[in-house]
Amino acid sequence: MNLWKRLMCTARRKSPWLFHMNSGSCNGCDIEIIAALSPRYDAEQLGVLLQGSPRHADILVVTGPVTNKAVNAVKTVYDQVCGPKAVVAIGSCPATTNVFIDSRTLDGPLDKHLPVDVYVPGCPPRPDAIIAGVVKAAVLLAERGSDAPKPAIVIAGTAAEEVQP
Amino acid sequence: MNPMLTALARLLIFPGLLFAVPAAWFFLWVERKAVALMQERVGPPFMQPFWDFVKLLGKSTPPRPGIAGFIMRAWPLIAVGSAAGAVGLLPVLPASGGFEGDLILLLALLELPSICIIAAGFSSRSIFGEIGSAREAALSVSYNIVFLLAIVSIAASQRTFRLEALAAMHPTFLTVLGIVAILICLPAKLHINPFSLPNAEQEIYSGPMTEYAGPELAMWELAHGLEWVAATGLVATLIAPHIALAWGTSLLAGFIFVVLSVAVVLLLSVLAAATARLAIDSSVRFYWQCTLIFAVLAISSALFVRFWL
């Protein structure tokens, strides 16, 4: 690996910019994401910044069980994020549709539509778990070139994390 | 020395690109770190703006076909070029050259990035970009009156438009007044709080930058950083008269220049962290009603000094 590639890897790991997408969430996870970026948890010391435009983002942070209304929006926003990119599913809703399972107003879970890289379970997950998930996604980004994303399932912030080597 | 070589050295080495690009990243870090410390956070690591820049260079951009796409890609490059040129014109080292009227060129080059931002917002055809550009344009016609009047009053009181002569002048009451007026205009020029209207994150996404991605956005960040260096450097050279002549060595002159620039950056960052964003009408009213009167007083007294005393 030449010097420029190594530099790029480090840069991608150290500068994950987020775009926050709500696909019909109850707002619980969104509040926890805001808490993770607030002065108490201070995600900026890891280089994490919340961006207003999906064009600027590296990591798409999705909450909610993907309602019928939100499907097209989720796909559009995913296409607007420029590669290399990663998707982090925050909470149990995008992972499994949670308590809304079998609802006729849903078209979830999220991985039916997008290649999800990191799942952060919880209802809602704690801010520490969200930060851990974003950092894992940033490590995935560093390993990934600008080619098409390969799905790799990572579960962050749970007991399973400690078991894994 | 060959004047051509001197000019090239100023543009490319000091205070030009070789100094200004790391200084731009450093100033961006100082700004973010100061805001973080004011909010009792740890804040970003020292290399953060550099990592952001490298990462953005490695990202892909959406296809931009045709002449509109070409123009959209050109704006950030023009902004970087003009901001770097403005930094290169600063009279930091003693006997660094320069010519009669280079102050006017510096002002034009300082203004060009903001015109590029306005044009970029409109050429991106995003509704948020257009709102941001309209705000930037309204803000620009407000603060520029005060900014230009302040600089013209300093220049008129010294009877020259040559930067080197202005950098070596003895401070008078008028120049202090002018420097304060310039400092009041800098937050609007650099788009930081309380005048961060054009790129107001919570309201209009990223304003004119909304559609930009990857290397283009990296160039905008660099242009913003270079604007910081040029604007604070202008204040630093005006504040410290004879920084070079009194001490005689170039090294010390450069050092004092850097220290003063960082002090101005800190001052502006603390102001940015301590204030909230004003609405567009309040911003425009602030410049037209509150500060314009002082600028007019400054320039009229400068002209009085120039012609009658």
Side-chain angles (χ1 to χ4, degrees):
Chain A
M1 211 175 354
N2 60 31
L3 187 69
W4 175 247
K5 273 191 177 167
R6 274 166 60 189
L7 192 69
M8 188 62 73
C9 272
T10 318
R12 282 182 183 145
R13 188 161 47 78
K14 283 179 179 281
S15 162
W17 287 2
L18 312 181
F19 182 77
H20 172 203
M21 172 92 206
N22 181 332
S23 68
S25 159
C26 70
N27 236 12
C29 296
D30 308 277
I31 290 170
E32 297 302 314
I33 289 173
I34 301 306
L37 298 163
S38 68
R40 183 170 179 88
Y41 291 92
D42 186 25
E44 200 187 359
Q45 53 186 291
L46 302 169
V48 177
L49 275 188
L50 187 67
Q51 291 294 330
S53 163
R55 290 269 190 237
H56 302 180
D58 307 295
I59 298 176
L60 187 61
V61 173
V62 186
T63 59
V66 193
T67 56
N68 284 332
K69 289 251 182 198
V71 172
N72 285 331
V74 168
K75 286 180 183 166
T76 309
V77 168
Y78 179 76
D79 290 338
Q80 281 174 340
V81 178
C82 295
K85 54 190 165 186
V87 178
V88 180
I90 302 289
S92 302
C93 285
T96 63
T97 64
N98 208 2
V99 293
F100 307 109
I101 196 162
D102 290 339
S103 165
R104 61 196 161 89
T105 60
L106 292 187
D107 194 9
L110 182 65
D111 49 13
K112 216 167 125 186
H113 307 289
L114 307 182
V116 179
D117 296 295
V118 179
Y119 294 92
V120 182
C123 188
R126 286 189 56 81
D128 343 34
I130 294 175
I131 294 173
V134 167
V135 168
K136 292 209 167 186
V139 172
L140 281 179
L141 268 184
E143 291 163 359
R144 178 183 295 165
S146 49
D147 45 307
K150 297 164 266 179
I153 295 177
V154 180
I155 299 176
T158 57
E161 192 187 340
E162 273 88 68
V163 178
Q164 287 166 0
Chain B
M1 217 201 303
N2 188 344
M4 195 72 192
L5 271 182
T6 320
L8 261 184
R10 285 180 69 189
L11 183 62
L12 295 180
I13 301 172
F14 187 86
L17 284 175
L18 195 68
F19 162 76
V21 172
W25 290 327
F26 176 63
F27 286 180
L28 289 178
W29 174 76
V30 169
E31 184 206 355
R32 283 171 66 176
K33 186 80 174 177
V35 172
L37 290 179
M38 290 278 282
Q39 296 174 347
E40 296 195 348
R41 290 191 283 133
V42 176
F46 181 68
M47 298 283 276
Q48 191 59 49
F50 172 71
W51 295 129
D52 289 348
F53 183 78
V54 173
K55 177 208 72 178
L56 286 173
L57 283 187
K59 279 182 78 74
S60 64
T61 46
R64 305 197 194 288
I67 192 77
F70 173 76
I71 291 175
M72 205 178 145
R73 281 171 195 273
W75 293 122
L77 295 177
I78 299 173
V80 168
S82 58
V87 176
L89 274 176
L90 291 175
V92 183
L93 302 182
S96 53
F99 47 90
E100 186 59 46
D102 54 0
L103 176 66
I104 298 171
L105 180 60
L106 177 77
L107 291 180
L109 287 175
L110 268 181
E111 190 48 32
L112 211 51
S114 116
I115 292 173
C116 285
I117 288 175
I118 297 171
F122 282 118
S123 62
S124 73
R125 295 197 176 180
S126 151
I127 183 75
F128 306 106
E130 287 172 10
I131 296 173
S133 289
R135 287 179 173 190
E136 166 75 25
L139 202 57
S140 173
V141 293
S142 315
Y143 71 76
N144 262 329
I145 305 282
V146 182
F147 187 69
L148 294 180
L149 282 183
I151 288 188
V152 167
S153 71
I154 293 176
S157 68
Q158 297 295 318
R159 309 181 179 206
T160 177
F161 273 109
R162 192 182 171 127
L163 275 168
E164 207 172 26
L166 288 180
M169 71 192 169
H170 289 287
T172 59
F173 176 69
L174 255 181
T175 55
V176 173
L177 202 67
I179 289 167
V180 171
I182 293 172
L183 278 177
I184 290 176
C185 294
L186 282 191
K189 209 165 183 56
L190 298 170
H191 312 130
I192 55 174
N193 271 345
F195 302 109
S196 60
L197 285 154
N199 47 3
E201 302 95 16
Q202 292 87 354
E203 301 169 17
I204 49 170
Y205 297 155
S206 309
M209 300 314 106
T210 302
E211 278 297 318
Y212 282 91
E216 304 154 354
L217 188 65
M219 288 301 132
W220 279 123
E221 295 277 321
L222 187 63
H224 187 223
L226 288 174
E227 266 190 291
W228 269 97
V229 179
T232 57
L234 176 65
V235 176
T237 49
L238 290 178
I239 288 177
H242 294 278
I243 48 174
L245 303 176
W247 301 85
T249 61
S250 303
L251 204 63
L252 201 60
F255 179 71
I256 296 175
F257 169 76
V258 173
V259 169
L260 277 176
S261 301
V262 174
V264 176
V265 173
L266 270 178
L267 181 75
L268 292 178
S269 313
V270 169
L271 175 79
T275 51
R277 187 180 304 132
L278 290 175
I280 183 72
D281 54 336
S282 321
S283 308
V284 171
R285 203 179 303 125
F286 172 77
Y287 280 116
W288 280 99
Q289 290 185 352
C290 307
T291 54
L292 186 63
I293 180 104
F294 294 107
V296 170
L297 272 181
I299 192 151
S300 47
S301 45
L303 291 177
F304 180 75
V305 169
R306 167 81 176 77
F307 287 111
W308 284 282
L309 293 184

